Amino acid sequence: MRLVAYDSCDDLLGGLRRAAADQVGPYGLGGPVPLAGLPEGDTALNKGAVPAPAPADGGGKAPQHSTTNSHEPGADEPDLVKTDGRRIVTLARGRLQVIDPATRKVAHTLSLAERDGYPGGSFNSQLLLSGERVLILTPQAPMLGRDLPADPRRPGPARPQTRLTLVDLAGAPKVVGTMTSDSMYLDARQSGSVVRVVVRSTPKIDFPPPGRDPEKAVERNRLEVRKAPLDAWLPTFTVGEGKAAKNYRAPCDQVSRPAAYTGAGMVSVLTFDLARGLADPSPVAVATDGATVYGNGSSLYIAGNPPVPARPVKGPAPVEQRTDVHRFDVRNGGRPQYAASGSVPGTLLSQYSLSELQGNLRVVTTTDPGQGTGRPSGSTSQSSMYVLAQNGSRLDQIGRADGLGKGERVYAVRFLGTLAYVVTFKQVDPLYVLDLKDPRRPRVTGELKITGYSAYLHPMADGRLLGIGQDADASGRTKGLQASLFDVSGTPRRVASYKLPGASSQTEFDPHAFLYWPGTGLAVVPVSRPERGASEALALKVTGTGLREAGSVKHPGTDYGNSIRRSVVIGDTLWTFSEDGARATDVATLADRGWLPFTAG
């Protein structure tokens, strides 16, 4: 497994046409366009907020503050709320809301609804903050009942788009740059002021209706593929607006493919330095499908499953249980440099299934040989740990541990240095501990079985883990929210737990929503209880071997707009955020310090 370049643009077009012709079906390429919402791929299982000093602001340093729950400290991730301690920026009610935490007031707002293409467009958007600049990343996908307008130059249905908006926060917020693309936003990572944005695109080919004969429809679609121009595959990145707009595409010599195959679509990596504004994104493209992005500041990995032939007109669909991983070197601020590729059996849970340490990539996957055979789903599944080392342009397997969670699937993974923790679940929750000190001989050193499962694992001091997930009975039926405190300094054991029947937390599938403030031992998670309507922020007090409820924070009203989604700490104040406003509370006592309603865009 390695990437290879194309000899020429004609070679690139021929390879793309052949790959698409092999993969096209009666209805065209790929599946249905996803509804507008959070970007696909993985933004879950993040490391958790830790105190961070803010930059100096004339009169001195800002107070300590929490940071976004990012997987790796060297690669910040987009989220709904960002702070540098001097200001808080968030997206709500179609506006960028800028809060002054010192005065506890909304200092500025900037309407985004018109720019995002439809009212309330900020619902999909996420933020990255660098100095006086904030980058708004907006995936624009067709929604039921109100599709985005199709390209007037090309008939056919509306297509997913990505919009980036750069805002200067020095004074009243103002837009200083934009980029739009006919591709789907996948994920992004930020190191310093440099941002890498990963997008995915499919060929812009308008296939005719399938008609009554699927086999004839496939042949018609293959004809459409064979006459499609190169521009149908290369996504366009338009920087600026109006007469000042400039279009960019990946040059043919910056497009590569896996040596063993060519994908019908593309994954592109864009590079921007926010300090310099939005300019040429220097796109680098790979003719493959990517679903998971993992970065640590020096490496950017893109992982996905290889393409399979089109679904046959009759018979079961082919199943490919393999994950291909491509590494790019991003240590400089310019265009990413391709480094190496590898492949492992099975599929990933999330970006937290990947971790790089001392040049080795550790990967956790699940395989199910019975998938597609008619046997019960998961009945033959098991998970494995692989260690890959770079050897020239290859990521070669040098170590492996099998047999994790037989008949189950992975619910959480956490790498901490040379240790790894894997949670699998079907009826009970085995928490596996793996020793990776010798990367060539990873081994399971501990296993703990309890009812329920953890979907997010957060590292604590003194060899402890805090798990957030669901309680369950002996048959595997979930019963409600469960927080578990594990001691993993030796033989793993659960030393404390907290249960909230009937409840669930956004942290279970998006731990950007998780906050831990070490100074007070406070963990904060949004919690939804059906009988209470809007979600609230549950505060848990974590001690050496104890876990108890410290209280909760609610926003006015009971509708969705007042459901708490995020929380941050600045100094001695806990801030919680919903679509309708922000609330300030005392981080030690949870006493109310003020409610800030947001204005609509």
Side-chain angles (χ1 to χ4, degrees), residues 483-563:
S484 299
L485 185 62
F486 301 102
D487 183 339
V488 291
S489 58
T491 302
R493 59 193 180 98
R494 183 165 66 178
V495 296
S497 65
Y498 171 87
K499 300 178 182 180
L500 197 59
S504 62
S505 174
Q506 187 181 2
T507 300
E508 297 172 40
F509 58 89
D510 183 8
H512 281 133
F514 179 86
L515 168 70
Y516 177 64
W517 192 239
T520 61
L522 200 68
V524 183
V525 295
V527 169
S528 298
R529 297 188 238 189
E531 72 277 9
R532 296 197 179 183
S535 62
E536 59 198 67
L538 172 68
L540 298 173
K541 182 75 171 182
V542 184
T543 60
T545 57
L547 186 60
R548 63 176 177 83
E549 181 177 342
S552 63
V553 178
K554 304 178 182 65
H555 286 192
T558 58
D559 61 6
Y560 170 79
N562 286 285
S563 290

Side-chain angles (χ1 to χ4, degrees), residues 552-593:
S552 63
V553 178
K554 304 178 182 65
H555 286 192
T558 58
D559 61 6
Y560 170 79
N562 286 285
S563 290
I564 293 175
R565 301 183 293 172
R566 294 292 187 271
S567 55
V568 303
V569 171
I570 299 178
D572 61 357
T573 302
L574 170 68
W575 289 87
T576 52
F577 302 88
S578 65
E579 184 72 9
D580 284 354
R583 169 149 275 164
T585 57
D586 186 286
V587 73
T589 66
L590 301 184
D592 184 33
R593 288 183 170 177

Side-chain angles (χ1 to χ4, degrees), residues 216-575:
K216 289 184 178 180
V218 171
E219 288 304 315
R220 288 197 302 269
N221 290 343
R222 285 175 177 162
L223 290 175
E224 292 294 325
V225 166
R226 291 181 183 123
K227 66 183 183 182
L230 184 56
D231 287 354
W233 277 272
L234 294 178
T236 302
F237 307 102
T238 302
V239 177
E241 297 176 326
K243 294 182 179 179
K246 292 185 178 180
N247 293 329
Y248 300 91
R249 285 191 172 95
C252 294
D253 63 359
Q254 292 298 324
V255 180
S256 53
R257 63 173 176 84
Y261 63 87
T262 299
M266 286 191 180
V267 174
S268 302
V269 183
L270 315 179
T271 300
F272 299 98
D273 187 336
L274 301 190
R276 299 180 180 179
L278 300 184
D280 182 354
S282 303
V284 174
V286 181
T288 188
D289 185 34
T292 303
V293 175
Y294 163 69
N296 59 12
S298 60
S299 298
L300 184 75
Y301 289 88
I302 300 175
N305 306 113
V308 297
R311 177 186 293 271
V313 176
K314 296 180 181 180
V319 176
E320 180 68 41
Q321 295 186 358
R322 192 180 92 215
T323 297
D324 294 341
V325 185
H326 309 290
R327 176 181 174 261
F328 293 86
D329 188 330
V330 293
R331 286 175 293 183
N332 61 59
R335 180 178 270 127
Q337 300 298 310
Y338 169 68
S341 298
S343 185
V344 293
T347 58
L348 303 176
L349 168 70
S350 66
Q351 63 152 317
Y352 262 61
S353 299
L354 302 166
S355 171
E356 184 187 83
L357 181 69
Q358 299 175 348
N360 294 326
L361 179 68
R362 293 87 61 84
V363 187
V364 174
T365 66
T366 299
T367 56
D368 184 2
Q371 187 175 349
T373 65
R375 281 182 272 182
S377 177
S379 62
T380 59
S381 64
Q382 70 162 344
S383 298
S384 302
M385 166 78 69
Y386 300 92
V387 182
L388 307 179
Q390 185 167 336
N391 178 16
S393 61
R394 300 197 311 269
L395 294 173
D396 290 340
Q397 179 182 313
I398 62 171
R400 175 174 179 170
D402 290 317
L404 305 179
K406 293 182 179 179
E408 302 174 337
R409 68 179 180 88
V410 171
Y411 271 65
V413 182
R414 193 75 201 209
F415 289 92
L416 297 175
T418 58
L419 293 174
Y421 305 93
V422 179
V423 172
T424 62
F425 177 75
K426 185 175 182 181
Q427 291 179 306
V428 294
D429 164 11
L431 170 65
Y432 293 97
V433 181
L434 291 97
D435 185 338
L436 305 173
K437 290 187 181 68
D438 183 350
R440 296 183 179 277
R441 295 176 179 83
R443 58 193 181 94
V444 176
T445 59
E447 180 180 349
L448 173 66
K449 290 189 177 182
I450 56 175
T451 55
Y453 63 85
S454 296
Y456 170 66
L457 295 171
H458 185 78
M460 315 293 285
D462 303 323
R464 293 170 300 146
L465 286 175
L466 178 63
I468 304 294
Q470 284 283 305
D471 186 19
D473 60 23
S475 66
R477 185 182 300 110
T478 57
K479 299 164 62 176
L481 180 72
Q482 176 175 261
S484 299
L485 185 62
F486 301 102
D487 183 339
V488 291
S489 58
T491 302
R493 59 193 180 98
R494 183 165 66 178
V495 296
S497 65
Y498 171 87
K499 300 178 182 180
L500 197 59
S504 62
S505 174
Q506 187 181 2
T507 300
E508 297 172 40
F509 58 89
D510 183 8
H512 281 133
F514 179 86
L515 168 70
Y516 177 64
W517 192 239
T520 61
L522 200 68
V524 183
V525 295
V527 169
S528 298
R529 297 188 238 189
E531 72 277 9
R532 296 197 179 183
S535 62
E536 59 198 67
L538 172 68
L540 298 173
K541 182 75 171 182
V542 184
T543 60
T545 57
L547 186 60
R548 63 176 177 83
E549 181 177 342
S552 63
V553 178
K554 304 178 182 65
H555 286 192
T558 58
D559 61 6
Y560 170 79
N562 286 285
S563 290
I564 293 175
R565 301 183 293 172
R566 294 292 187 271
S567 55
V568 303
V569 171
I570 299 178
D572 61 357
T573 302
L574 170 68
W575 289 87

